[in-house]
């Protein structure tokens, strides 16, 4: 305690004393401030009945059996007892004992632990009695079996004794061989300023602790117990790292951002699974809310509004075409392929409503199939159209024979075959890798509910075939860019393909750079699909709608060809006459091919009005002869399938079938002949 005082560490210690302290003044006297708040244990002992009266009645004369009692008497009364031996302890006593001294309660203090001595003696007495009864069978004195007494045998009987001691308490040994655990809990406290006292605050009775906490006061005015630990408990979200060789001392360290303390091992941190993050206290992992494009979000509403507008426009275009089904403009555009094209455009717009649905296995299957199929329908129809135009004009350069597979039925079969190949690709793909909705975690804080195809970019399998069709369509658009000007659809198809390529070239980097933003990614895909459909509607159908709705007077067969190629210029300038079938055939060729070549018109100025001068007639005489010759060639080309053709009131016999072109046959004539067939 003096060392604590010298180190000025009085406030740093709270003492717990063993039964060696037992409220002894030796511990507390002069050290009250340092010892204040001490808790100690004291073996619980009750007075031995009759011992106090017995001991107070003893004198040296009646207790001669105890050779040390005379020394006790001399030390207690500070005198030399007559006839006793001189010792270093009694030679300095001033007087001689008279024998009349008496022991009283006032001059005598008894040891409080006397019960334990009494119980120990009684335990041996009961053990010897029980052993004598079993070994000697009731004979008085020690029998030969107990000479000498075996310690192991005596210990066996000693462990089994049970009796009521002289203090009135029951005594027995526990299974470990210890006596009854009975202790008083005593506390050294400052009951008032400067006044210290040992106070009994509880007891421990054979395994049960009874403690009166209201009586415990470690410092005057501070009833709360002090903290006595090597290390404080770690906070929530922290784990322990024990010091080497220690089990009560540790360091605390924080678990990382995505870890919690292990539920069963306080020395480890546990990483939260993907799709979960620790709560604020880092005690458990909580799921991250699913993120997907919701139909009520601004992105989805904008995309659906754009697609809905496109569906309405597509429906209006289809309605106009159905109402004017048999008009020249509709017939010239290829009615069957136009309807297929409108169906594909409708599917492109409809894909937006599938893309904004909450991902599921069924929805992912529809997205996977529909995204590529809708494009395939559109570009298969366009490819069939451009291929037909190219084959007709290329064939006209080589032969007058009609190309194969240019009839409407053949075109539908070709378009269906191209589309069926995409269906086959999708079927194989779904068998090999079934569509499914999965949770994607691009970062630790994301939990995206997406289709599996969008995670690994396997959507490109669905788009690969339409991309091939787009490239081929674009090549055909380039190859047919120089066809006669009147065949305007080739130019519009080319413009459609160029714009489509630009749109998709812009979409690809946007799609792959928005992997963490599902709303932008899906919206960009749906808008790109809708824009491709919009470009097709605007470029291919707007010119036809303009003629049908705004300029209906041009929706006739003659307007399908430029005026300079028409067989009928007007009632006043008709230099070539022929049957009505001839004129109809020329118009029909215009519907098929769109034009007649430049410098090969059927204009004529051979017949002048009566008021014209003779010089004008002479100046035009040579031109009239040339035009008459070209007119004859034109009618021969147009009516080469006719058996009889009348030219300038003269009947000429032509062949029953298409003739082979010779060196003098103009190239435009062969192309026209092919188209008519």
């Amino acid at each position: 305690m003096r060392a604590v005082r010298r180190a000025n560490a009085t406030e740093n210690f709270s003492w717990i004393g063993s039964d060696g302290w037992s409220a002894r003044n030796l511990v507390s006297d002069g050290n009250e401030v340092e010892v204040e708040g001490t808790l100690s244990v004291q073996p619980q002992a009750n007075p031995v009945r009759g011992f106090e009266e017995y001991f107070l009645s003893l004198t040296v004369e009646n207790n001669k059996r105890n050779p040390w009692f005379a020394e006790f008497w001399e030390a207690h009364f500070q005198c030399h007892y007559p006839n006793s031996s001189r010792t270093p302890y009694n030679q300095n006593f001033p007087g001689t004992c008279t024998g009349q001294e008496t022991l009283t309660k006032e001059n005598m203090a008894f040891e409080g632990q006397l019960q334990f001595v009494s119980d120990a003696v009684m335990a041996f007495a009961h053990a010897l009695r029980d052993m004598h009864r079993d070994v000697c069978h009731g004979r008085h004195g020690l029998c030969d079996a107990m000479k000498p007494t075996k310690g192991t045998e005596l210990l066996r009987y000693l462990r089994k004794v049970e009796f009521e001691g002289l203090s009135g308490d029951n005594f027995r040994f526990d299974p470990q061989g210890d006596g009854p655990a009975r202790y008083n809990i005593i506390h050294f406290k400052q009951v008032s300023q400067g006044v210290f006292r040992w106070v009994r605050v509880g007891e421990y009775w054979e395994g049960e602790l009874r403690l009166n906490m209201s009586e415990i006061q470690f410092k005057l005015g501070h009833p709360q117990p002090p903290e006595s630990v090597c290390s404080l408990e770690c906070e929530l979200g922290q784990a322990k790292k024990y010091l080497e060789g220690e089990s009560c001392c540790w360091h605390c360290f924080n678990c990382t951002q995505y870890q919690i303390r292990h539920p069963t091992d306080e020395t480890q941190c546990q990483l939260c699974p993907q799709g979960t993050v620790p709560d604020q206290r880092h005690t458990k992992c909580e799921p991250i809310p699913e993120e997907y494009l919701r139909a009520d979000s601004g992105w989805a509403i904008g995309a659906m509004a754009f697609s809905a507008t496109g569906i309405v426009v597509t429906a209006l275009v289809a309605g106009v075409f159905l109402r004017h089904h048999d008009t020249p403009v509709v017939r010239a555009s290829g009615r069957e392929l136009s309807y297929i094209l409108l169906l594909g455009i409708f599917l492109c717009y409809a894909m937006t409503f599938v893309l904004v649905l909450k991902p599921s296995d069924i929805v992912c299957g529809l997205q996977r199939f529909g995204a590529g199929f809708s494009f395939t329908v559109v570009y298969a129809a366009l490819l069939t159209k451009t291929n037909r135009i190219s084959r007709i004009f290329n064939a006209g350069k080589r032969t007058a024979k009609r190309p194969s597979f240019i009839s409407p039925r053949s075109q539908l079969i070709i378009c269906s075959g191209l589309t069926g190949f995409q269906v086959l690709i999708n079927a194989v793909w779904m068998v090999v890798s079934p569509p499914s909705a999965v949770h994607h975690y691009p970062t630790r804080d994301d939990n995206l509910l997406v289709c599996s195809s969008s995670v690994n970019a396997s959507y490109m399998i669905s788009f690969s075939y339409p991309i091939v069709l787009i490239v081929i369509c674009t090549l055909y658009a380039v190859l047919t860019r120089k066809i006669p000007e009147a065949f305007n659809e080739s130019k519009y198809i080319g413009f459609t393909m160029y714009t489509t390529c630009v749109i998709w070239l812009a979409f690809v980097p946007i799609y792959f750079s928005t992997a963490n933003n599902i709303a932008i990614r899906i919206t960009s895909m749906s808008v790109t699909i809708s824009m491709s459909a919009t470009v097709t509607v605007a470029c291919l159908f707007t010119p036809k709608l303009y003629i049908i709705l705004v300029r209906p007077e041009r929706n006739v067969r003659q307007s399908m060809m430029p005026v300079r190629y028409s067989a009928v210029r007007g009632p006043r300038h008709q230099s070539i006459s022929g049957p009505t079938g001839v004129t109809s055939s020329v118009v029909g060729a215009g519907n098929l091919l769109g034009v007649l070549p430049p410098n090969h018109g059927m204009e004529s100025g051979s017949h002048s009005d009566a008021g014209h001068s003779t010089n004008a007639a002479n100046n035009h005489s040579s031109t009239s002869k040339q035009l008459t010759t070209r007119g004859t060639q034109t009618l021969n080309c147009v009516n080469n399938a006719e058996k009889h053709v009348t030219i300038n009131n003269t009947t000429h016999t032509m062949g029953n079938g298409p003739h082979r072109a010779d060196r003098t046959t103009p190239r435009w004539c062969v192309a026209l002949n092919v188209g008519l067939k």
Side-chain angles (χ1 to χ4, degrees):
M1 296 300 149
R2 290 191 293 270
V4 172
R5 188 185 306 118
R6 286 195 304 269
N8 196 26
T10 301
E11 300 292 334
N12 298 335
F13 293 95
S14 294
W15 301 94
I16 296 178
S18 67
D19 58 350
W21 287 24
S22 297
R24 294 180 179 179
N25 294 333
L26 177 64
V27 177
S28 58
D29 288 351
N31 302 314
E32 289 82 0
V33 177
E34 287 74 27
V35 180
E36 182 184 6
T38 296
L39 284 171
S40 181
V41 293
Q42 182 185 57
Q44 189 179 92
N46 295 318
V48 177
R49 293 190 299 265
F51 179 79
E52 185 176 334
E53 292 79 5
Y54 164 75
F55 193 84
L56 292 177
S57 65
L58 292 177
T59 64
V60 177
E61 297 300 327
N62 62 13
N63 192 22
K64 291 185 179 294
R65 67 185 182 88
N66 188 341
W68 298 284
F69 192 77
E71 292 185 18
F72 163 75
W73 193 273
E74 290 176 338
H76 185 71
F77 291 107
Q78 296 290 305
C79 62
H80 175 68
Y81 199 83
N83 300 324
S84 63
S85 301
R86 287 285 179 178
T87 67
Y89 301 103
N90 62 9
Q91 62 183 355
N92 296 325
F93 292 151
T96 302
C97 299
T98 63
Q100 301 300 318
E101 297 88 4
T102 58
L103 298 175
T104 63
K105 293 182 179 181
E106 287 75 18
N107 63 16
M108 186 64 193
F110 291 94
E111 174 62 50
Q113 312 300 320
L114 184 61
Q115 176 186 354
F116 299 107
V117 178
S118 172
D119 288 342
V121 173
M122 293 290 291
F124 268 93
H126 279 273
L128 289 170
R129 184 197 65 183
D130 295 341
M131 183 179 180
H132 183 271
R133 183 183 62 242
D134 294 342
V135 173
C136 297
H137 305 289
R139 290 163 51 183
H140 295 286
L142 291 176
C143 60
D144 293 337
M146 294 184 67
K147 294 179 181 179
T149 302
K150 296 180 181 180
T152 55
E153 284 293 317
L154 180 60
L155 178 61
R156 185 168 62 86
Y157 282 97
L158 192 62
R159 286 179 178 274
K160 296 188 294 183
V161 298
E162 185 172 356
F163 58 89
E164 181 179 337
L166 298 178
S167 62
D169 296 329
N170 291 326
F171 181 88
R172 66 181 181 278
F173 289 103
D174 62 18
Q176 287 75 36
D178 297 322
R182 300 166 185 166
Y183 295 93
N184 290 324
I185 310 299
I186 56 177
H187 179 46
F188 190 73
K189 62 184 292 187
Q190 188 175 185
V191 294
S192 61
Q193 189 68 37
V195 179
F196 298 87
R197 186 179 302 160
W198 286 100
V199 180
R200 182 175 180 270
V201 294
E203 65 177 0
Y204 181 82
W205 184 270
E206 297 185 7
E208 182 180 358
L209 177 64
R210 304 185 185 99
L211 199 61
N212 185 4
M213 294 298 298
S214 62
E215 289 291 331
I216 297 177
Q217 172 188 284
F218 290 89
K219 295 295 178 182
L220 183 64
H222 298 280
Q224 294 298 326
E227 293 183 352
S228 180
V229 292
C230 177
S231 301
L232 296 176
E233 282 295 323
C234 295
E235 298 180 358
L236 295 175
Q238 292 183 333
K240 297 179 180 178
K241 182 179 180 181
Y242 285 93
L243 300 180
E244 185 177 359
E246 295 288 342
S247 60
C248 297
C249 300
W250 57 81
H251 295 304
C252 297
F253 63 93
N254 294 322
C255 295
T256 60
Q257 181 180 1
Y258 300 106
Q259 290 181 331
I260 61 172
R261 191 167 74 177
H262 199 283
T264 59
D265 187 356
E266 62 183 7
T267 64
Q268 294 184 9
C269 292
Q270 182 180 25
L271 185 66
C272 285
Q274 290 279 9
T276 62
V277 292
D279 61 356
Q280 291 183 349
R281 300 185 298 174
H282 282 255
T283 57
K284 62 180 180 179
C285 297
E286 295 182 340
I288 302 173
E290 290 181 340
E291 183 181 350
Y292 57 91
L293 182 61
R294 303 179 185 274
D296 57 354
S297 66
W299 295 98
I301 292 174
M304 289 189 293
F306 184 33
S307 296
T309 303
I311 290 175
V312 172
V313 172
T314 303
L316 292 176
V317 173
V320 171
F321 265 57
L322 288 173
R323 184 168 183 177
H324 300 82
H325 181 73
D326 293 321
T327 59
V329 170
V330 177
R331 292 172 64 90
S333 63
R335 291 174 294 184
E336 296 78 6
L337 291 179
S338 295
Y339 292 140
I340 293 177
L341 192 58
L342 289 172
L343 174 62
I345 293 171
F346 169 79
L347 293 176
C348 289
Y349 285 125
M351 275 305 300
T352 296
F353 299 93
V354 179
L355 290 171
V356 299
L357 293 176
K358 181 179 179 179
S360 65
D361 292 351
I362 296 177
V363 171
C364 291
L366 291 175
Q367 290 181 5
R368 181 187 289 188
F369 179 84
F373 180 77
S374 58
F375 276 119
T376 301
V377 172
V378 172
Y379 297 114
L382 288 178
L383 178 57
T384 305
K385 274 192 173 189
T386 53
N387 174 264
R388 177 173 177 265
I389 296 170
S390 178
R391 287 192 296 117
I392 289 175
F393 276 90
N394 288 335
K397 297 176 182 179
R398 299 187 302 269
T399 179
K401 184 179 179 180
R402 178 189 181 94
S404 303
F405 308 116
I406 62 173
S407 65
R409 181 177 180 181
S410 300
Q411 300 301 296
L412 291 177
I413 294 175
I414 294 173
C415 183
S416 300
L418 294 174
T419 306
F421 189 71
Q422 174 69 16
V423 175
L424 178 62
I425 293 175
N426 283 332
V428 174
W429 184 19
M430 290 189 180
V431 171
V432 174
S433 176
S436 61
V438 298
H439 288 93
H440 179 47
Y441 315 107
T443 67
R444 284 291 315 185
D445 296 318
D446 292 325
N447 182 16
L448 307 182
L449 180 61
V450 297
C451 294
S452 58
S453 301
S454 63
V455 176
N456 52 16
S458 60
Y459 265 131
M460 295 309 298
I461 297 176
S462 180
F463 288 135
S464 59
Y465 181 63
I467 290 175
V468 172
L469 296 181
I470 291 174
V471 172
I472 297 176
C473 283
T474 305
L475 292 176
Y476 271 121
V478 174
L479 294 175
T480 59
R481 70 188 185 279
K482 293 184 179 180
I483 66 172
E485 180 184 356
F487 200 82
N488 293 325
E489 191 165 27
S490 179
K491 178 176 65 176
Y492 297 141
I493 292 176
F495 188 74
T496 300
M497 302 318 301
Y498 306 148
T499 308
T500 301
C501 291
V502 171
I503 291 174
W504 282 94
L505 287 175
F507 162 74
V508 170
I510 295 176
Y511 182 83
F512 285 102
S513 63
T514 56
N516 296 348
N517 195 321
I518 194 66
I520 297 179
R521 193 175 206 185
I522 294 179
T523 302
S524 63
M525 177 184 287
S526 62
V527 170
T528 301
I529 294 174
S530 298
M531 287 184 64
S532 299
T534 302
V535 168
T536 305
V537 171
C539 293
L540 294 183
F541 290 96
T542 300
K544 298 178 179 62
L545 293 178
Y546 174 77
I547 294 176
I548 294 173
L549 300 177
V550 180
R551 302 291 298 274
E553 69 277 4
R554 294 179 55 185
N555 193 4
V556 293
R557 289 186 177 274
Q558 287 80 0
S559 67
M560 298 299 100
M561 298 168 55
V563 176
R564 66 176 181 270
Y565 302 135
S566 178
V568 182
R569 179 66 181 263
R572 296 177 58 197
H573 300 280
Q574 185 173 355
S575 63
I576 302 176
S577 62
T580 305
V582 174
T583 304
S584 299
S585 298
V586 175
V587 176
N591 286 339
L592 179 63
L593 299 176
V595 296
L596 291 175
N599 301 323
H600 295 294
M602 292 183 292
E603 299 173 342
S604 178
S606 59
H607 295 280
S608 304
D609 293 338
H612 287 186
S613 65
T614 303
N615 292 334
N618 293 332
N619 291 335
H620 287 284
S621 60
S622 60
T623 304
S624 298
K625 293 179 181 179
Q626 295 176 0
L627 292 176
T628 301
T629 303
R630 291 180 180 176
T632 303
Q633 292 178 350
T634 300
L635 292 179
N636 283 335
C637 289
V638 173
N639 296 282
N640 60 6
E642 297 289 339
K643 190 171 183 179
H644 300 282
V645 178
T646 302
I647 301 178
N648 290 336
N649 297 322
T650 303
T651 300
H652 299 269
T653 301
M654 309 292 290
N656 288 331
H659 60 80
R660 294 184 56 85
D662 55 27
R663 294 183 178 179
T664 61
T665 304
R667 182 177 299 174
W668 60 268
C669 173
V670 176
L672 180 61
N673 204 355
V674 170
L676 288 172
K677 296 300 181 183

